[in-house]
Amino acid sequence: MLIGIGSDLCDARRIETVLSRHGTRFEQRVFTASERAAAARRQGTARLGTYAKRWAAKEACAKALGTGFAQGVFHRDMGVENLPTGQPVMRLAGGALARLEALLPDGYVARVFLTMTDEHPYAFAQVMIMAEKAGAS
């Protein structure tokens, strides 16, 4: 069953401006350690695209959760990681995880689907949250 869906389009130039103005403080406030490490492995527009896609993913996830960045949901509560295949996945913690758990009916588990893309200067992400019966494969 569908719990929520969200999408976001981010202009990487906005991320570039904020990084220029606030640098490490912004990075540490918004992005997880693994997200910062992923961005650090890239240069130029690829680095900006990495941050912009992850920003868009966080925004899309907050929309899918139905809260935006309120009710205890913060940017750092949502982190994009990549499976060995390269597929991006959204990991939730803190207030975002608590909100997700509150949305689930008894006997269900959540599956969070994420897709992201970028074409400088834009990045797009979409998140879909599904609930499946616990124990179903």
Side-chain angles (χ1 to χ4, degrees):
M1 111 182 39
L2 180 64
I3 297 292
I5 189 166
S7 62
D8 191 70
L9 179 67
C10 175
D11 187 331
R13 295 170 294 195
R14 286 183 56 223
I15 301 299
E16 183 176 32
T17 299
V18 175
L19 283 170
S20 295
R21 187 174 298 142
H22 301 287
T24 303
R25 183 172 157 235
F26 169 71
E27 291 176 50
Q28 291 179 346
R29 181 175 181 198
V30 172
F31 300 101
T32 66
S34 65
E35 289 173 318
R36 294 191 306 270
R41 290 190 294 270
R42 295 174 172 81
Q43 300 296 318
T45 58
R47 179 175 179 263
L48 286 176
T50 298
Y51 276 133
K53 284 187 288 192
R54 281 150 180 78
W55 176 272
K58 293 166 188 284
E59 292 280 340
C61 188
K63 291 171 185 173
L65 290 170
T67 59
F69 293 101
Q71 300 179 32
V73 176
F74 300 100
H75 286 89
R76 264 195 323 204
D77 290 344
M78 296 168 269
V80 176
E81 297 178 7
N82 292 88
L83 299 177
T85 61
Q87 177 184 356
V89 294
M90 182 67 72
R91 305 284 187 214
L92 303 183
L97 181 58
R99 173 65 181 161
L100 176 61
E101 290 170 348
L103 292 172
L104 290 174
D106 288 340
Y108 283 78
V109 295
R111 291 204 51 205
V112 179
F113 297 92
L114 167 65
T115 188
M116 307 182 300
T117 191
D118 68 305
E119 181 67 39
H120 190 74
Y122 300 105
F124 174 80
Q126 186 168 35
V127 171
M128 183 170 46
I129 303 172
M130 302 290 295
E132 296 178 344
K133 280 264 191 207
S137 13

